[in-house]
Amino acid sequence: MSENPNNSSNFIKHIVKEDLAEGTYDHIVTRFPPEPNGYLHIGHAKSIVLNFELADEFNGETNLRFDDTNPLKEDQEYVDAIKEDIEWLGYEWEGLRYASNYFDEMYNQAVILIKKGLAYVEDLSQEEIREYRGTLTEPGKESKSRSRSAEENLELFEKMRNGEFANGEKVLRAKIDMASPNINLRDPVIYRISHTPHHNTGEKWCIYPMYSFAHPLEDAIEGVTHSICTLEFEDQRPLYEWVVENCEIDAEPKQIEFARLNLTNTVMSKRKLKQLVDENYVDGWDDPRMPTISGLRRRGFTPESIKTFCREIGVSKADNLVDVRMLEHFVREDLKLTSPRTMSVLRPLKVVITNYPEGEVEWLDADINPENPEMGTRKIPFSREIYIEQSDFMENPPKKYFRLFPGNEVRLKHAYFIKCNEVIKDDEGNVVELHCTYDPETKSGTGFTGRKVKGTLHWVEATHAKEAEFRLYNSLIDDEKSGDDFLDFVNPDSLEVAHGYVEPNMEEAKAHDKYQFFRHGYFNVDPKETTAYKLVFNRIVELKSSFKL
RNA sequence: AGGGCUAUAGCCAAGCGGUAAGGCAUCGGAUUUUGAUUCCGUGAUUCGCAGGUUCGAAUCCUGCUAGCCCUGCCA
C-alpha cells in the first residue's frame, strides 16, 4: 500500500518528521487499538487511515491491537467484525495483538510499582474513593490505605489476584498526588477486581488493568513510538508518561491526540449506535443507514472512497463537524468511471407507443459507461410498450419542465424521440398510462439533427423488464429536528422502498455489484436481501441535481 | 470557576516572520443523448477580539472572549 497519495500536511506528520530528524526514534511504529465492544464506524476509519498511512509514509509499521481489558463489555463477535472491516479497507497490520496477552507483564509491572512505593491497595469503597477524590476546584484527600507498607500491599495485591476478594472490595491505585489540579493524577485506580471470564484469557484472571495503566504498557511492550488517540485523552497524557517513566520497561512511546471526526446528520458514538441496533431503529450494525464500516459497505461505499475522504478531511486538534456531502462526493467520484450505467425505473408509468408495430422488438446498442468507453456496449430491447419514471411526466407542468407532458416531445435515451398524445387515467383521476408516438427518423446513433428536444428520459422495455426492489435511503439522523434525546433526531423517513423494473441484462447482477442508474444515482446490489428470484438494490447516493420543481 | 485544549470563508483545512494553498458546499456561464459529468468563473485587504514587538505578524509577546474535554473500579 505505498501509492496512497496524501500530500497534505498535519501536525502529527510534523512531529514524526522532527522525531526522525532528531533521532528520537530511528523508525516509527503506530497502532490501531480498538476495544472489541462494538463495530467500527467512519470515525474509526479516520484513525485507521491516519495510523496505517502515517507509518507507511515513513517506512514504519502498524499493529492492530485489541484493547480488551474490560471483559464485561467485550466479545469475540466484535473482534472478528473489526478485523474484517480493516482488511476490507485494504490495510495489512504488522502484528495482531491483544492487550490481554500482556496481562502477566502488566501484573509484574504493578508489582514493581508497589515495591517502589508507587502503588497501593485501597480499602475504600467506590463511593468513598469518589468522595476522597475531591472536585474540580477542591483537592482530594489521602486515605489511610495510602500509607500501607509495600510488603502488605504486595500481599493484598496477590490476594486480589487469587480471587480472595469480591468485586469492588479492593482496588490497586497509583500513588501520585491527591492534590493535583489534574484529577487523573489523584491516585488513579490501575487495577480492579472483576470476576468475569475473558474472551481471550478465560478464567485465568479476576483482576483487570485499567486503560490508563494498560495502554502505555501495551504501547511500550510493542515498541510503539507514536500512540495516537483522540482529544479526550489529553488530560491523561501526564499519567501515560508517569506509567512509562515509573514502570521498568525499555521503550518510550509518546501519546499524541487529535480531534475525532463528527459528521452532519450522523451519530458517531458506539453507545448511540448500539442503542439504534438494540431498539430496532435499524436492521443491525450493518444496516445501510448506519455510519459503521459494515453499514457503509452494505450501502455500497467503496474502500477507496472512504479512504480518500479520510485523507481529505485532514487531521487537527480543532473540534470539527464535516458535511456528509463530502463523503458522498468521494463515492460519486470513485464510482463515476468504474460503474456500468444502466436504466432502471423506480416508480413505473406505462407508455404505449401507438405507431410502433405490435409484437416487434428491436435491440439497441448502449454504452456501458460513456466516460469510460473501454467498458464497451450492451444491448437493450425496445418495443411498443415501455415504462418511464412517474416523475418524468406531468399533465400540467411548470415552466422549464423538460420532461414529458401532453404535446411535448422528449428523447428516450439510446432510442427515439417520443411525443405524448394522450393521458389515460383511472376512476380516481390518477395517470395510469400514456399514449405516445415515436419518430423512426430520430433513432439514436443515426446522427439525426432535424430538431432538438430539451429532455432525455430513461426507460425500460415492458415485456423484457425484470422486476426489482429499490431501497432509497435518507439520513437516519436529521440535524434539523429538535429535541433533548438523540432519538428525537431519528428521521422516520430514512428508508423508502420502491418496486420497479431494471434492464433484462441485470439478471447477471451479483451481490455488491455497483451501477449508476441513469439519472438516479449509484446503487449497490444488497448482499443480504438479494436472491435468485429477487433483486434488491441499495441507493448509495443520488446524482447531484440542479433540478427544482 | 482548578486543570487541559482549540479558534484561518458556510464546512473541513494548509500555512511555522516576507505579504492567505487545496477540497466540499454555494452561485454564475460554456459544453452535454444523464437537469449528471467536464470546463471556466465565483468568495478572507484578512486569520476569535484588543494591544504590543518588528521594516514586515495568521505566524512572536501580553491581555481578553468564546467553544470543547476532565470529578468511571469505561475506553
Side-chain angles (χ1 to χ4, degrees), chain A residues 21 27 33 50 66 93 115 138 144 191 195 209 237 303 314 333 400 403 483 493 499 504:
Chain A
H27 81 294
L50 172 60
F66 288 99
W93 48 82
K115 287 178 177 165
E138 305 157 49
K144 280 205 291 261
Y191 258 99
H195 291 271
R237 193 179 343 133
E333 188 181 77
K400 291 205 175 174
R403 284 109 102 137
D493 304 314
H499 293 274

Side-chain angles (χ1 to χ4, degrees), chain A residues 343-352 385-393 424 430-434 458-462 465-470 472 497-502 520:
Chain A
M343 297 196 289
S344 299
V345 174
L346 275 45
R347 296 179 173 96
L349 173 60
K350 183 172 259 186
V351 172
V352 177
E385 292 192 2
I386 63 169
Y387 295 107
I388 65 166
E389 208 67 56
Q390 286 172 17
S391 59
D392 281 339
F393 173 80
I424 314 294
N430 300 309
V431 176
V432 292
E433 189 172 301
L434 264 24
H458 62 276
W459 52 277
V460 174
E461 194 276 328
K466 189 168 168 57
E467 288 182 24
E469 178 174 316
F470 309 102
L472 312 175
V497 178
H499 293 274
Y501 299 101
V502 296
H520 277 300

Side-chain angles (χ1 to χ4, degrees), chain A residues 301-319:
Chain A
F301 280 81
T302 57
E304 203 45 48
S305 65
I306 293 170
K307 290 192 284 189
T308 305
F309 169 77
C310 290
R311 291 176 197 125
E312 293 300 319
I313 53 174
V315 177
S316 75
K317 297 191 70 159
D319 291 331

Side-chain angles (χ1 to χ4, degrees), chain A residues 180-242:
Chain A
S180 173
N182 180 346
I183 291 178
N184 294 293
L185 262 22
R186 317 241 262 232
D187 290 9
V189 172
I190 58 175
Y191 258 99
R192 79 288 218 178
I193 298 167
S194 180
H195 291 271
T196 309
H198 188 282
H199 67 91
N200 183 32
T201 59
E203 308 269 349
K204 180 173 177 187
W205 297 89
C206 63
I207 58 171
Y208 294 94
M210 299 289 289
Y211 169 89
S212 51
F213 177 64
H215 209 88
L217 289 176
E218 295 160 24
D219 288 334
I221 290 166
E222 293 176 22
V224 166
T225 53
H226 301 267
S227 180
I228 301 169
C229 63
T230 43
L231 252 27
E232 64 271 26
F233 292 100
E234 237 164 353
D235 291 333
Q236 297 211 29
R237 193 179 343 133
L239 178 51
Y240 183 100
E241 287 163 354
W242 185 93

